[in-house]
């Protein structure tokens, strides 16, 4: 069965069936896990990836593998993308994109607050390759416009951004990027395809850390780039296969299996998160809650326009976050005090403003500090609301808040 047969189906049907087909030989209903690095070829098979085209037989797993291909087809179906390239991690996907899209002398506009490893990479390693980087608050379209230069080739945003849950208007920024001849990449890990389809809003590339909601079970790292074939076929051939950050077929298989329930899980994450966010907003010790599904979110109007699902991540502030973090780590019984997000298990972690502004985020204007302060104050708890019973989660927070 080809992917094109799935465009007419609903999201849950696509999540289960797209990319999968019963094995021709065994008639197995579940997808095969092909743990082979190499494939027996004809004597005239080419030895360089330069000669590879889409219909080539399998040769070597770094170039392509049947299980990884199934994952890429399922991802493309859910994101309504022409094609996808899977990677060993979200950062593997991001690194391949930056190194493919940018060369010495080019310039990129990058969100001033984004996933920490991307922020750190674009603070040092990318500028060291003689690629200019301007960090701006991309929630302000005028700041993006002002940062564009004649050699800008990429605008890079995250919406909602990690960890602030600040949003960027994708359609507006896509117009700004395209007017300047640049491409727009959107890290949609927090939103997921259940909430937003950035390609339909004008983005050229979508990035996912599959480690989070798409895999959904906290057991496998993975990443993906999605977009047009004219962009991603050369990216796969010239950059991804050579950098070598390919996903293991085993992880691809685990993520495929996790994705079968993806739309169902996202509905449940949203339902739980709204209950927990409402509980936290009513708690006397909680000073501020940020959740795109609450009318108190500073960009609630944009959230409603751009997100069909508000996802499961909440941030909140208390008077002494560092002290509360120690209490949470000790007292929480269900919620794990741990990094990462998007799993069926609830996870919480404290992010201290002073620490992050030293290690990861470099601001140059007073407006950037002000925006950070609006969303994060002295520091935030990032709570990834899992799929446990909502009453057990609020009960767990209740017994651990400030005790
Ligand atoms: C986790 C995350 C990444 C990185 O993904 P890995 O799979 O950990 O490499 C990138 N972007 C966002 C928004 C993330 O949350």
């Amino acid at each position: 069965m080809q992917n094109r047969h799935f465009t007419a189906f609903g999201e849950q049907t696509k999540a289960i069936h797209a990319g999968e087909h019963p094995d021709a030989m065994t008639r197995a209903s579940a997808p095969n896990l092909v743990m082979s690095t190499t494939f027996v070829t004809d004597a005239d098979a080419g030895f360089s990836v330069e000669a590879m085209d889409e219909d080539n037989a399998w040769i070597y797993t770094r170039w392509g593998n049947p299980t990884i291909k199934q994952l890429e087809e399922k991802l493309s179906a859910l994101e309504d993308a022409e094609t996808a390239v899977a990677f060993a991690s979200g950062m593997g996907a991001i690194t391949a994109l930056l190194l493919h899209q940018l060369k010495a002398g080019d310039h990129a506009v990058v969100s001033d607050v984004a996933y920490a490893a991307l922020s750190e990479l674009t603070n040092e390693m990318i500028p060291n390759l003689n690629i200019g980087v301007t960090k701006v608050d991309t929630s302000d379209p005028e700041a993006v416009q002002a940062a564009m230069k004649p050699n800008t080739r990429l605008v890079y945003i995250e919406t909602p951004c990690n960890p602030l849950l600040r949003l960027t208007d994708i359609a507006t920024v896509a117009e700004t990027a395209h007017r300047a001849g640049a491409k727009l990449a959107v890290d949609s890990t927090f939103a997921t395809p259940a909430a937003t389809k950035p390609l339909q809003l004008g983005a050229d590339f979508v990035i996912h850390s599959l480690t989070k909601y798409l895999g959904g079970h906290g057991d496998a790292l993975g990443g993906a780039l999605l977009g047009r074939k004219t962009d991603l076929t050369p990216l796969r051939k010239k950059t991804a296969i050579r950098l070598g950050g390919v996903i293991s077929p085993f992880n691809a298989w685990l993520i495929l299996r996790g994705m079968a329930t993806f739309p169902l899980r996202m509905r449940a994450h949203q339902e739980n998160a709204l209950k927990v966010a409402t509980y936290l907003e009513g708690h006397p010790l909680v000073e501020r809650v940020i959740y795109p599904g609450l009318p108190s979110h500073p960009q609630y109007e944009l959230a409603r326009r751009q997100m069909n699902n508000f996802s499961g991540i909440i941030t909140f502030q208390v008077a002494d976050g560092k002290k509360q973090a120690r209490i949470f780590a000790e007292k929480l019984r269900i919620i794990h005090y741990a990094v990462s997000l998007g799993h069926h298990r609830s996870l919480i972690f404290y992010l201290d403003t002073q620490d992050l502004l030293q290690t990861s985020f470099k601001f140059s204007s007073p407006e950037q500090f002000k925006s950070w302060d609006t969303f994060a104050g002295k520091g935030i708890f990032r709570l990834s609301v899992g799929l446990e019973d909502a009453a057990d989660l609020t009960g767990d927070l209740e017994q651990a808040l400030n005790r």
Side-chain angles (χ1 to χ4, degrees):
M1 265 182 276
Q2 295 293 308
N3 250 354
R4 61 177 174 276
H5 293 142
F6 285 101
T7 51
F9 288 98
E11 297 299 302
Q12 189 51 56
T13 306
K14 287 196 268 186
I16 293 172
H17 290 285
E20 299 189 11
H21 37 78
D23 179 58
M25 198 129 77
T26 64
R27 308 299 291 150
S29 164
N32 280 336
L33 168 53
V34 181
M35 290 298 283
S36 186
T37 59
T38 194
F39 296 83
V40 178
T41 59
D42 296 336
D44 56 3
F47 193 64
S48 166
V49 70
E50 285 291 335
M52 183 180 91
D53 73 45
E54 252 189 281
D55 302 320
N56 267 156
W58 306 110
I59 295 175
Y60 188 53
T61 282
R62 181 155 46 73
W63 300 16
N65 168 285
T67 309
I68 298 172
K69 175 103 189 268
Q70 289 188 300
L71 172 65
E72 292 172 344
E73 287 186 358
K74 200 185 282 296
L75 284 165
S76 305
L78 284 177
E79 193 70 62
D80 292 328
E82 266 179 39
T83 194
V85 183
F87 292 86
S89 67
M91 281 311 299
I94 291 167
T95 308
L97 174 67
L98 296 178
L99 294 181
H100 184 77
Q101 191 60 27
L102 300 166
K103 55 183 188 328
D106 289 344
H107 172 254
V109 174
V110 178
S111 174
D112 62 352
V113 181
Y115 187 67
L118 168 277
S119 296
E120 292 156 13
L121 189 69
T122 48
N123 285 341
E124 257 178 59
M125 197 184 222
I126 296 295
N128 286 346
L129 299 172
N130 195 24
I131 296 163
V133 173
T134 307
K135 300 274 180 118
V136 298
D137 170 2
T138 58
S139 73
D140 175 1
E142 283 167 25
V144 178
Q145 179 60 56
M148 300 302 292
K149 296 182 182 182
N151 59 338
T152 306
R153 294 202 56 225
L154 186 69
V155 176
Y156 186 105
I157 66 171
E158 231 175 66
T159 181
C161 78
N162 189 355
L164 293 184
L165 301 179
R166 189 176 68 191
L167 312 182
T168 290
D169 186 326
I170 297 169
T172 304
V173 172
E175 263 183 49
T176 308
H178 294 159
R179 234 184 290 122
K183 295 208 159 154
L184 174 65
V186 179
D187 184 332
S188 196
T189 299
F190 272 40
T192 84
T196 309
K197 304 265 170 78
L199 298 171
Q200 289 175 3
L201 298 171
D204 301 284
F205 298 101
V206 173
I207 298 154
H208 284 294
S209 167
L210 307 177
T211 317
K212 313 295 169 56
Y213 285 110
L214 283 155
H217 294 77
D219 50 12
L221 287 171
L225 293 176
L226 295 107
R228 281 182 292 268
K229 283 190 178 168
T230 48
D231 289 319
L232 288 180
T233 303
L235 186 149
R236 182 197 295 278
K237 218 158 133 166
K238 298 207 172 287
T239 306
I241 291 174
R242 287 171 181 159
L243 289 178
V246 278
I247 191 168
S248 156
F250 184 53
N251 276 11
W253 189 88
L254 285 170
I255 293 167
L256 259 177
R257 138 85 102 109
M259 279 172 65
T261 54
F262 166 74
L264 280 170
R265 284 189 284 107
M266 292 315 295
R267 285 203 287 279
H269 277 297
Q270 166 175 259
E271 193 184 307
N272 266 3
L274 192 57
K275 284 183 187 156
V276 174
T278 306
Y279 158 79
L280 287 169
E281 210 163 46
H283 195 288
L285 296 175
V286 174
E287 294 182 343
R288 173 124 220 219
V289 179
I290 301 270
Y291 177 60
L294 287 179
S296 58
H297 189 284
Q299 298 161 292
Y300 185 56
E301 184 275 325
L302 175 59
R304 291 217 303 188
R305 182 152 48 85
Q306 193 168 272
M307 302 177 79
N308 290 319
N309 174 296
F310 297 119
S311 205
I313 304 154
I314 297 169
T315 73
F316 64 94
Q317 299 167 37
V318 300
D320 188 346
K322 280 194 165 164
K323 177 165 166 241
Q324 183 63 56
R326 285 190 290 271
I327 300 170
F328 275 155
E330 190 190 327
K331 293 264 162 117
L332 287 170
R333 295 180 195 136
I334 296 168
I335 302 167
H336 287 181
Y337 191 87
V339 296
S340 203
L341 52 104
H343 307 168
H344 55 333
R345 295 177 200 90
S346 293
L347 307 171
I348 195 167
F349 201 77
Y350 184 64
L351 300 152
D352 183 72
T353 288
Q354 252 191 350
D355 292 353
L356 283 176
L357 295 190
Q358 265 169 29
T359 56
S360 310
F361 306 124
K362 311 278 179 214
F363 298 155
S364 49
S365 76
E367 289 80 20
Q368 288 174 303
F369 284 99
K370 192 161 163 262
S371 176
W372 175 280
D373 191 57
T374 302
F375 281 85
K378 291 199 221 75
I380 46 176
F381 285 97
R382 183 184 64 195
L383 171 58
S384 171
V385 179
L387 301 176
E388 302 93 339
D389 294 287
D392 293 334
L393 297 177
T394 52
D396 202 21
L397 289 165
E398 180 71 24
Q399 61 84 25
L401 257 170
N402 202 34
R403 299 286 154 75

